[in-house]
């Protein structure tokens, strides 16, 4: 199987980080390049919204496999799938797949969920963090009870973190990537909140290193689902705002300002969520796992 993937300057950086990680696998051959495929084929088709032609920066990432074009869409917007009878793709693979978007059901091209990616693919460092996490779990010497760091985008769930009266959350301090990941590896529980899409980096980073974390139940889907209280702790209660629930969990995991002393049953669940998350990452978002899922999708849709 010969796979060629093209990306351009507007391609989401973490996406081509994943694709480049595939080139190091023995499963190839796969070629990843910066540039454009046969854009005469692509741009000869009318853009379904503007009435003009497709622009390279709108398409972001294209794969050509056995002469068929695949659109790899990392955005949280469904519009690329609308009126897809005008779009010359054999398949659309989405990293942020929201099953409630009605565009997918009416698209002429199949639109399927994929997975989500690490912000940086440094697998030796991920292994180092897993070992650090194992040591912290063995000793139960966590540096914090709850940890979140990130930027405040215009999203209500992140705004409520900003408003929480807790110095361990909502920090805008600038960390290096390695400092930030080590802090996540040594906290008792992490937090993930939506950003520009339902998935955020923390979902996959914490899954990769085995840090159980809190989040709202997923809206967006992956090919192999991440399940509440199996792969992460759920924050969900009808009629209660996200910020109120976060306050509740802060008091739960940090009673009287101290680390929670888990009961044996709670600790077993905590460790099980950690192991389930790492297993999910290995099978879906690691270089080997994501490439295997990618090939399964291609086989099911008669691309290969």
């Amino acid at each position: 199987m010969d796979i060629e993937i093209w990306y351009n300057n507007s391609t989401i950086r973490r996406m081509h980080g994943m694709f480049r990680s595939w080139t190091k696998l023995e499963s190839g051959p796969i070629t990843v390049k910066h540039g454009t495929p046969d854009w005469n084929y692509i741009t000869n088709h009318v853009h379904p919204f503007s009435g003009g032609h497709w622009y390279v920066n709108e398409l972001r990432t294209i794969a050509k496999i056995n002469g068929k074009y695949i659109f790899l869409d990392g955005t949280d917007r469904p519009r690329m799938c609308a009126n897809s009878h005008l779009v010359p793709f054999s398949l659309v693979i989405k990293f942020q797949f929201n099953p409630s978007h009605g565009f997918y059901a009416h698209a002429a091209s199949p639109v399927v969920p994929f997975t989500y990616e690490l912000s940086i693919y440094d697998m030796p460092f991920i292994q180092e963090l897993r070992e650090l996490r194992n040591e912290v779990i063995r000793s139960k010497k966590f540096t914090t009870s709850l940890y979140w760091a990130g930027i405040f985008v215009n999203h209500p769930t992140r705004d409520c973190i900003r408003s929480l009266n807790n110095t361990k959350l909502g920090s805008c301090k600038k960390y290096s990537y390695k400092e930030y990941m080590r802090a996540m590896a040594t906290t008792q529980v992490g937090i993930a909140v939506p950003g520009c899409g339902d998935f955020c980096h923390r979902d996959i980073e914490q899954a990769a290193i085995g840090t159980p974390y809190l989040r709202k139940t997923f809206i967006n889907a992956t090919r192999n689902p991440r399940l509440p209280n199996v792969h992460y702790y759920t924050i969900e209660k009808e009629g209660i705002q996200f910020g109120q629930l976060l306050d509740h969990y802060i008091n739960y995991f940090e009673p009287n300002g101290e680390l929670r002393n888990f009961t044996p049953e709670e600790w077993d669940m905590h460790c099980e969520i950690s192991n389930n998350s790492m297993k999910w990452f290995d099978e879906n978002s690691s270089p080997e796992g994501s490439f295997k899922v990618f090939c399964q999708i291609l086989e099911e849709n008669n691309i290969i």
Side-chain angles (χ1 to χ4, degrees):
M1 176 177 60
D2 188 21
I3 300 177
E4 294 178 285
I5 296 178
W6 288 268
Y7 67 94
N8 57 58
N9 288 334
S10 69
T11 298
I12 299 171
R13 172 173 53 85
R14 62 182 185 272
M15 287 174 62
H16 56 81
M18 170 182 277
F19 302 143
R20 288 199 173 278
S21 75
W22 292 353
T23 65
K24 301 173 184 177
L25 302 176
E26 296 179 358
S27 313
I30 177 171
T31 304
V32 178
K33 17 179 149 170
H34 181 276
T36 57
D38 184 2
W39 288 114
N40 289 329
Y41 174 70
I42 303 295
T43 58
N44 282 341
H45 292 75
V46 175
H47 188 293
F49 291 95
S50 68
H53 295 296
W54 287 95
Y55 294 99
V56 172
N57 66 347
E58 289 178 312
L59 295 174
R60 297 174 183 268
T61 308
I62 304 293
K64 186 180 180 183
I65 305 164
N66 295 341
K68 297 177 181 178
Y69 289 95
I70 312 299
F71 175 32
L72 296 148
D73 184 2
T75 70
D76 196 39
R77 296 166 295 172
R79 68 182 182 87
M80 293 299 186
C81 305
N83 298 330
S84 68
H85 60 285
L86 300 174
V87 184
F89 299 117
S90 299
L91 185 65
V92 178
I93 298 176
K94 280 193 69 67
F95 287 75
Q96 293 266 16
F97 181 94
N98 185 334
S100 68
H101 286 160
F103 291 118
Y104 305 150
H106 302 291
S109 302
V111 184
V112 296
F114 186 29
T115 185
Y116 205 63
E117 333 85 70
L118 281 171
S119 54
I120 296 176
Y121 273 84
D122 183 346
M123 300 314 293
F125 183 52
I126 293 297
Q127 184 56 41
E128 176 188 322
L129 291 171
R130 286 187 175 188
E131 292 168 4
L132 173 61
R133 179 77 190 170
N134 285 337
E135 179 57 35
V136 169
I137 287 175
R138 278 194 295 269
S139 65
K140 295 189 179 179
K141 292 181 179 179
F142 301 101
T143 55
T144 53
S145 56
L146 285 166
Y147 176 79
W148 182 88
I151 59 172
F152 289 110
V153 296
N154 184 24
H155 197 289
T157 53
R158 291 203 175 183
D159 284 344
C160 77
I161 282 185
R162 187 203 302 268
S163 68
L164 288 173
N165 184 25
N166 186 300
T167 56
K168 295 180 178 64
L169 302 179
S171 173
C172 290
K173 175 184 174 182
K174 291 186 177 180
Y175 297 92
S176 73
Y177 174 72
K178 291 194 172 183
E179 287 174 328
Y180 150 74
M181 290 291 282
R182 287 193 180 102
M184 280 202 297
T186 55
T187 189
Q188 194 175 53
V189 179
I191 291 178
V193 290
C196 296
D198 186 42
F199 287 103
C200 75
H201 293 319
R202 284 143 213 72
D203 284 302
I204 302 304
E205 289 160 347
Q206 291 174 123
I209 61 181
T211 297
Y213 66 95
L214 295 165
R215 69 154 291 139
K216 295 184 72 174
T217 301
F218 279 108
I219 297 172
N220 285 1
T222 48
R223 173 183 167 83
N224 298 310
R226 292 185 58 71
L227 303 173
N229 295 322
V230 174
H231 300 108
Y232 60 94
Y233 287 113
T234 307
I235 298 182
E236 210 77 275
K237 197 167 183 181
E238 190 174 351
I240 297 181
Q241 296 297 314
F242 181 83
Q244 294 173 300
L245 284 167
L246 259 184
D247 271 330
H248 165 75
Y249 275 100
I250 287 170
N251 293 330
Y252 177 82
F253 284 108
E254 195 181 46
N256 303 316
E258 299 178 356
L259 291 173
R260 180 173 181 78
N261 186 17
F262 284 93
T263 66
E265 293 79 13
E266 289 172 338
W267 185 248
D268 286 346
M269 180 180 178
H270 196 70
C271 294
E272 186 175 352
I273 287 176
S274 175
N275 292 332
N276 290 343
S277 280
M278 287 188 289
K279 184 173 186 289
W280 187 95
F281 172 83
D282 290 343
E283 293 177 352
N284 293 274
S285 288
S286 69
E288 295 84 357
S290 59
F291 187 68
K292 183 177 179 180
V293 171
F294 183 68
C295 291
Q296 288 171 350
I297 291 171
L298 297 180
E299 288 176 1
E300 289 173 5
N301 288 275
N302 300 313
I303 306 298
I304 58 175

